[in-house]
Amino acid sequence: MRRSIATLASATLALAITAQAAQAQVLFWSTQAAPVEETQKMREQVLSGFEGGVDFQASETGPFLTRLSAEIQAGSGQIGVVGALHGDLATYADSFVDLSDIDLSGVTVSDAFLELGKLGTDEQKYLPWMQANYVMAANKQALEYLPEGADINALTYDDLIAWAKTMAEETGSPKFGFPAGPQGLKHRFFQGFLLPSYAGSTVTRFRSAEAETAWEKFKELWQYTNPASTNYAFMQEPLLSGDVWVAFDHIARLADAFNQRPDDFVAFPAPSGPAGRAFMPVLAGVAVPTSAPDMEASKALVKYMMQPETQVATLLATNFYPVTDAPLPADLPASARALGPAITAMTTADDALPALLPVGLGDLGGQFNQVYTDTFERIVLGNQPVRDVLDQQADTLRSLMEQAKAPCWLPDVPSEGPCPVE
Amino acid sequence: MRARALPYLLLLPATLFLLVFFVYPFVEIAVLAITRDGSLSLQPLTTMATHWKFGAALGWTLLLAAIVVPIQLAMALSMATIVTKLDRGRSAFLYIFSIPLGLSDLAAGIVWLAIFEQSGFLNSMLHGLGIVDQPVLFLSYQNIWVIFIAIVLAEVWRATAIVMVILVSGMGLIPKEYYEAGEVFGASGWQRFWKITLPLLRPSLQSALILRTLAAFEVFAVVTALGGTTLPVLMGETYNWQFALQDRNVAAAYALVILGISIAATLFFLRVLRVPKGATI
């Protein structure tokens, strides 16, 4: 009898201890690494080394923002660390604690990124966590159809159209692929690549004559685009299956193709237009909301995320690149070896024109993206007149910018007050 | 006194439940749909009505309901008649017919996606039989009608069983004497179906039709799985405004439209299939 009581007591004690441990875990609330495989890798390979444990939860941006706002409004909550893109974090600048007191001992972070992390204040509102970009990828079979004299590292949109046309005509089926499915990142292409390349602007010159040309060009390209594109989310799959030979996508959504068949694919910069070679760098950061339950643990986790080993592990788990000077191991996966140089070629090109992800839109970010998606669906899929669609969507865009009171960001010229739509 | 209060007391929990979980959210939604930032505004409603996808979403939803519900009704009636006629193996048939009921909407959509996809079963079969050289892209924005037909098929497959279950129980309530009398007077099978089964089945038909039509207006997961955003429906747009576009006021406006159509459809069926007082079995 006595023994069974002792067993019971120790079991209860053990339970209590595990419950305590579970409670002490820091909740890492993230919009990044949301695909199930990546979430799993984050938990097993990146965060398992953190003492005290991390409860890593990734979610879609909508539910993510809903919970974050709720906790901030309530003034108390469970979220310990927030991981999200620069544009999402920018909205909550007032609700994040200053992270400048975190001792990064020996880790050097890119100055430009640190400056972005201040979100226009004097405090370090978030620390840069990882970065990514969008590139083009091609099956090596496609290279023989390249237009004469074209340099794959310095293509123009006209070259790309000519290339897609030749491939479609000579192989009998359209081989250019575009992530235009419901989960595809098509809006980023229009915001960060197509429009800036022609109009030198994402918002202000949305309905300019140059923007009209850009959409006409894209319509031309669409003729030689695999019609299944409206179902594509990640371009790595159609590239691997051979349905598509040339594609544009986020590097994290191309990585599998390079990892599975490294010898079959090449990565190269996005094309350039009359206004330059526009591209959209993606920066994710980690921040600590003022409502975090355990400030010490949260800051410890932020510090852990910046360590060289963690940064490399994050690269392996998510295909996002480090933002620190973390030395990269020699045995990097094929995707990192192939995609890295393409990004460098793009960002250091003579005509490079960086276009940032939307800043300061908060929960209107979805509607902002929808303006570009709707424009695409109406002009390209619905065949509506370009001029009319641009005029109508520009009205929507203008009222959104006014509602959000968001000033212009790169590549648009800085504005007093809401970014104007001409 | 206590005996008189008892029925009301017994109704109280259900009433409370309805008030808290149905009436309260409904009022909230109605308020959301006609306000913006806390003040009265028609902006959510106009934003919804002037959005270029609204007309298409409304049209596709109504068309889908108008096509799916009659097909399901006809199929369910014949399935229910077969099941009722069976002497043996009745429960086995019922069980097999209602297997799709055990699947979630989304799962059903994905099952059909696996069939129609470019690398799906249908393409493999056509290719195996030598009918096509390379996989056909069925579910593309260029053949929106194919997407529509695929959705109709998936919906019919998924939800006919629920109508059948209601009709089977309704048929079980019809007294055998009517049929025996009909046989005595020489009514054929068809005549017995038209003159006895259908009229006496009215209450079950009513509930089955109301249930199915309401569900048809709320069709969402199957459409999302098969059509993505190519074929917009009201419920998909509601979801989109709430989560992707983060504008709950416009989402509430959409919800009100769905509610409005649902009430109209319910009133229609209540009126058309009403059972006169005193004419019940």
Side-chain angles (χ1 to χ4, degrees):
Chain A
M1 183 64 193
R2 176 167 296 204
R3 243 183 99 174
S4 62
I5 288 175
T7 322
L8 195 66
S10 56
T12 321
L13 188 69
L15 259 180
I17 291 170
T18 22
Q20 193 93 54
Q23 196 141 62
Q25 282 194 346
V26 186
L27 173 57
F28 189 160
W29 185 238
S30 162
T31 56
Q32 301 304 299
V36 151
E37 304 84 5
E38 288 184 22
T39 307
Q40 196 62 15
K41 282 186 196 161
M42 279 298 290
R43 289 178 185 150
E44 285 172 1
Q45 295 163 19
V46 181
L47 296 163
S48 55
F50 180 67
E51 277 174 37
V54 183
D55 178 12
F56 181 78
Q57 298 290 343
S59 92
E60 297 276 323
T61 309
F64 172 88
L65 293 177
T66 310
R67 174 164 180 186
L68 181 60
S69 320
E71 292 204 358
I72 287 172
Q73 267 178 34
S76 76
Q78 293 303 313
I79 299 174
V81 169
V82 178
L85 298 177
H86 171 80
D88 292 328
L89 294 170
T91 325
Y92 297 96
D94 299 338
S95 314
F96 293 137
V97 298
D98 186 9
L99 296 179
S100 48
D101 58 337
I102 291 181
D103 171 26
L104 287 175
S105 51
V107 179
T108 316
V109 188
S110 145
D111 281 337
F113 286 160
L114 273 179
E115 191 56 41
L116 280 174
K118 292 187 174 165
L119 296 174
T121 66
D122 298 333
E123 298 182 351
Q124 196 67 47
K125 289 300 183 183
Y126 73 80
L127 280 177
W129 169 24
M130 54 188 194
Q131 59 165 325
N133 219 312
Y134 297 77
V135 291
M136 307 278 298
N139 191 313
K140 283 186 181 160
Q141 282 174 281
L143 297 180
E144 58 180 285
Y145 300 99
L146 261 176
E148 201 130 330
D151 172 7
I152 197 167
N153 281 315
L155 287 182
T156 64
Y157 278 95
D158 288 325
D159 289 337
L160 180 64
I161 295 170
W163 189 12
K165 182 172 186 232
T166 319
M167 278 191 296
E169 282 167 359
E170 308 216 344
T171 65
S173 68
K175 292 290 184 204
F176 178 71
F178 185 68
Q183 304 295 324
L185 293 170
K186 52 190 176 296
H187 46 280
R188 298 301 185 215
F189 176 77
F190 307 127
Q191 294 161 356
F193 295 80
L194 183 70
L195 286 179
S197 287
Y198 280 85
S201 154
T202 305
V203 175
T204 306
R205 300 175 55 69
F206 179 83
R207 52 177 292 274
S208 61
E210 291 84 356
E212 212 178 327
T213 318
W215 285 107
E216 293 290 357
K217 287 287 176 193
F218 190 74
K219 255 179 105 162
E220 217 176 303
L221 178 60
W222 188 259
Q223 291 179 280
Y224 315 113
T225 302
N226 190 326
S229 289
T230 49
N231 301 341
Y232 293 153
F234 288 53
M235 291 312 297
Q236 56 201 10
E237 285 130 25
L239 277 171
L240 280 169
S241 72
D243 291 342
V244 157
W245 282 1
V246 178
F248 160 89
D249 211 340
H250 190 285
I251 52 165
R253 297 177 169 212
L254 290 168
D256 251 6
F258 288 89
N259 285 338
Q260 284 189 30
R261 299 216 306 265
D263 299 331
D264 291 357
F265 298 103
V266 287
F268 53 97
S272 67
R277 188 177 305 277
F279 62 87
M280 187 180 258
V282 180
L283 176 64
V286 276
V288 178
T290 43
S291 56
D294 182 349
M295 208 52 82
E296 285 305 306
S298 295
K299 286 190 174 173
L301 178 57
V302 170
K303 182 176 176 182
Y304 175 79
M305 295 313 293
M306 305 300 293
Q307 298 312 305
E309 314 81 75
T310 323
Q311 290 266 315
V312 171
T314 310
L315 164 65
L316 297 180
T318 62
N319 292 297
F320 271 62
Y321 287 77
V323 288
T324 65
D325 56 353
L328 297 180
D331 56 342
L332 273 182
S335 63
R337 281 201 308 269
L339 296 166
I343 297 174
T344 317
M346 184 161 66
T347 51
T348 58
D350 294 335
D351 51 355
L353 176 65
L356 285 188
L357 276 167
V359 174
L361 292 174
D363 53 7
L364 291 175
Q367 294 192 45
F368 177 78
N369 294 338
Q370 193 69 30
V371 169
Y372 296 85
T373 308
D374 281 350
T375 310
F376 160 72
E377 287 188 8
R378 295 175 70 173
I379 292 178
V380 180
L381 303 185
N383 246 333
Q384 301 183 17
V386 180
R387 185 74 271 157
D388 298 354
V389 174
L390 286 186
D391 288 344
Q392 285 168 25
Q393 295 292 339
D395 289 340
T396 315
L397 183 61
R398 189 176 305 118
S399 64
L400 266 178
M401 298 313 289
E402 280 161 12
Q403 205 182 327
K405 300 190 183 64
C408 294
W409 60 87
L410 279 180
D412 281 301
V413 198
S415 64
E416 295 282 324
C419 194
V421 181
E422 279 170 4
Chain B
M1 182 60 207
R2 269 191 66 190
R4 282 180 74 183
L6 188 64
Y8 299 101
L9 277 177
L10 290 176
L11 277 176
L12 193 65
T15 315
L16 278 180
F17 183 86
L18 282 175
L19 282 176
V20 173
F21 290 106
F22 288 89
V23 178
Y24 172 67
F26 165 69
V27 173
E28 283 273 284
I29 292 291
V31 169
L32 269 181
I34 51 164
T35 53
R36 168 69 67 188
D37 300 326
S39 53
L40 208 63
S41 157
L42 286 180
Q43 192 261 344
L45 288 170
T46 48
T47 303
M48 170 192 72
T50 53
H51 189 255
W52 69 286
K53 265 192 175 171
F54 174 71
L58 183 66
W60 284 118
T61 310
L62 292 176
L63 187 66
L64 202 59
I67 290 183
V68 168
V69 175
I71 295 180
Q72 288 185 329
L73 184 68
M75 284 183 61
L77 268 175
S78 58
M79 283 155 77
T81 317
I82 293 170
V83 169
T84 330
K85 287 259 155 53
L86 285 176
D87 292 326
R88 278 197 292 164
R90 189 185 142 116
S91 37
F93 268 93
L94 258 181
Y95 182 75
I96 293 168
F97 279 157
S98 46
I99 284 177
L101 274 185
L103 284 179
S104 78
D105 296 12
L106 187 59
I110 290 171
V111 166
W112 284 84
L113 183 66
I115 297 175
F116 284 108
E117 245 182 342
Q118 209 171 2
S119 51
F121 295 125
L122 184 57
N123 265 318
S124 319
M125 199 178 80
L126 291 177
H127 187 73
L129 292 173
I131 299 173
V132 294
D133 291 337
Q134 46 178 335
V136 186
L137 179 63
F138 293 111
L139 303 173
S140 98
Y141 72 98
Q142 293 157 317
N143 336 322
I144 199 158
W145 285 102
V146 179
I147 300 183
F148 184 77
I149 293 168
I151 293 171
V152 168
L153 278 173
E155 274 290 295
V156 167
W157 176 79
R158 182 183 70 82
T160 304
I162 186 76
V163 184
M164 180 201 65
V165 169
I166 298 174
L167 295 186
V168 166
S169 64
M171 285 183 183
L173 289 176
I174 302 176
K176 289 263 186 298
E177 289 80 4
Y178 289 102
Y179 293 103
E180 286 164 9
E183 264 176 79
V184 168
F185 288 106
S188 69
W190 264 115
Q191 280 171 325
R192 272 175 280 153
F193 179 74
W194 281 111
K195 305 279 181 182
I196 301 171
T197 312
L198 270 190
L200 291 177
L201 205 54
R202 226 185 238 173
S204 318
L205 277 177
Q206 199 178 48
S207 30
L209 276 175
I210 291 176
L211 200 74
R212 256 319 294 158
T213 313
L214 298 199
F217 291 137
E218 290 164 12
V219 63
F220 172 52
V222 169
V223 178
T224 306
L226 288 168
T229 50
T230 314
L231 193 138
V233 287
L234 288 176
M235 204 63 184
E237 286 301 295
T238 312
Y239 178 87
N240 202 26
W241 277 96
Q242 171 73 37
F243 291 107
L245 307 181
Q246 295 276 314
D247 190 330
R248 59 173 73 187
N249 300 76
V250 180
Y254 267 100
L256 272 194
V257 171
I258 299 174
L259 182 78
I261 308 176
S262 302
I263 292 177
T266 309
L267 289 177
F268 172 77
F269 286 126
L270 285 178
R271 173 98 194 123
V272 170
L273 293 172
R274 72 182 183 286
V275 183
K277 259 206 165 136
T280 44
I281 317 165

